[in-house]
Amino acid sequence: MKFDPYEYTSVIVPGSVLVVTLALIFPDIVPSITTSLSLGDLGLVLILAFIAGHFVQAGGNVWESVIWKILGGWPTASVMAASSSLLSQQQREQLQQKLTTDFGEKTATSFGEGRGQMRELFVHIRQHGSVDRIEKFNRNYGLMRGTAVAFLIAAALVVVFRPEKYSIALLLAATALVFTIRMVRFGKHYAREAFAEYLRTPATSSTA
């Protein structure tokens, strides 16, 4: 089975956190993980981690919505606001002008109101620039998001099934907080890099 880099970093790694937690709490269910691993066991763990990772990332979709709402919205949604630290004032003015040229005035004035516009911007970058660094930040963002949720779930499982281990639950929750902070950081890096790369792309005529 072949996985792409996103699946390795953003799905399997968080999934493995949850699988190991379940194995430690319920050793009778997956005893091989807590003892020794044969090649066959390793393959089983990989498959379980891949499946668990997708469940974790589903929770990550909810978690990121909560976090960004608390922080005032997605970084890309408030990029045009004077209070945004994502871009400088000069960059915001350049962005406004370039969006008008490439997509029309309507898109430029309403940019940030929906995530669809960011997808359109990303397609433009892919066609006229480089997305390598953007995708790198996106993979790291996904990794931080998934791992944060995996540790949150692990903390909740410890509280429910091993309440006497509350200190471990607190440690897991603190770890989740650290990864959440990293998630936010990489989310901003992703947005900043996407806009910086877009500003470097050649101008195209608007069809609007």
Side-chain angles (χ1 to χ4, degrees), residues 1-145:
M1 185 179 294
K2 183 179 179 181
F3 299 100
D4 65 24
Y6 178 82
E7 290 170 327
Y8 271 122
T9 59
S10 301
V11 177
I12 294 179
V13 173
S16 67
V17 172
L18 182 56
V19 169
V20 171
T21 300
L22 290 171
L24 292 173
I25 295 177
F26 307 107
D28 293 336
I29 297 178
V30 195
S32 59
I33 297 179
T34 56
T35 55
S36 61
L37 289 175
S38 66
L39 185 60
D41 293 332
L42 183 61
L44 174 61
V45 171
L46 184 63
I47 292 173
L48 291 175
F50 182 71
I51 295 172
H54 280 285
F55 281 102
V56 169
Q57 288 294 5
N61 293 333
V62 177
W63 184 240
E64 67 178 356
S65 297
V66 171
I67 295 300
W68 288 119
K69 185 174 182 179
I70 292 174
L71 295 178
W74 299 87
T76 54
S78 59
V79 64
M80 294 300 188
S83 58
S84 173
S85 61
L86 202 64
L87 300 176
S88 67
Q89 178 61 33
Q90 182 181 2
Q91 287 175 315
R92 284 196 295 270
E93 292 173 358
Q94 293 174 347
L95 178 61
Q96 185 79 32
Q97 294 172 0
K98 187 167 174 55
L99 286 170
T100 301
T101 301
D102 293 339
F103 300 105
E105 185 175 354
K106 182 178 180 180
T107 296
T109 55
S110 64
F111 191 85
E113 294 180 0
R115 298 182 69 179
Q117 293 171 328
M118 194 63 198
R119 294 190 188 97
E120 190 175 1
L121 192 78
F122 188 81
V123 170
H124 179 92
I125 297 171
R126 186 183 292 277
Q127 291 174 342
H128 303 284
S130 174
V131 297
D132 291 344
R133 279 178 57 81
I134 301 172
E135 290 182 334
K136 177 182 177 181
F137 285 127
N138 187 48
R139 284 194 295 269
N140 279 285
Y141 174 82
L143 172 61
M144 298 302 116
R145 178 187 64 184

Side-chain angles (χ1 to χ4, degrees), residues 145-201:
R145 178 187 64 184
T147 307
V149 172
F151 276 106
L152 277 177
I153 295 174
L157 289 173
V158 171
V159 169
V160 173
F161 295 101
R162 294 290 188 274
E164 71 278 6
K165 304 289 186 179
Y166 67 90
S167 59
I168 294 178
L170 290 175
L171 179 61
L172 292 171
T175 305
L177 176 61
V178 171
F179 278 101
T180 298
I181 293 172
R182 296 291 292 168
M183 177 195 81
V184 171
R185 183 175 179 83
F186 277 110
K188 292 180 179 179
H189 281 325
Y190 166 83
R192 185 177 290 111
E193 183 65 26
F195 288 123
E197 183 61 34
Y198 170 66
L199 289 173
R200 289 193 289 267
T201 60

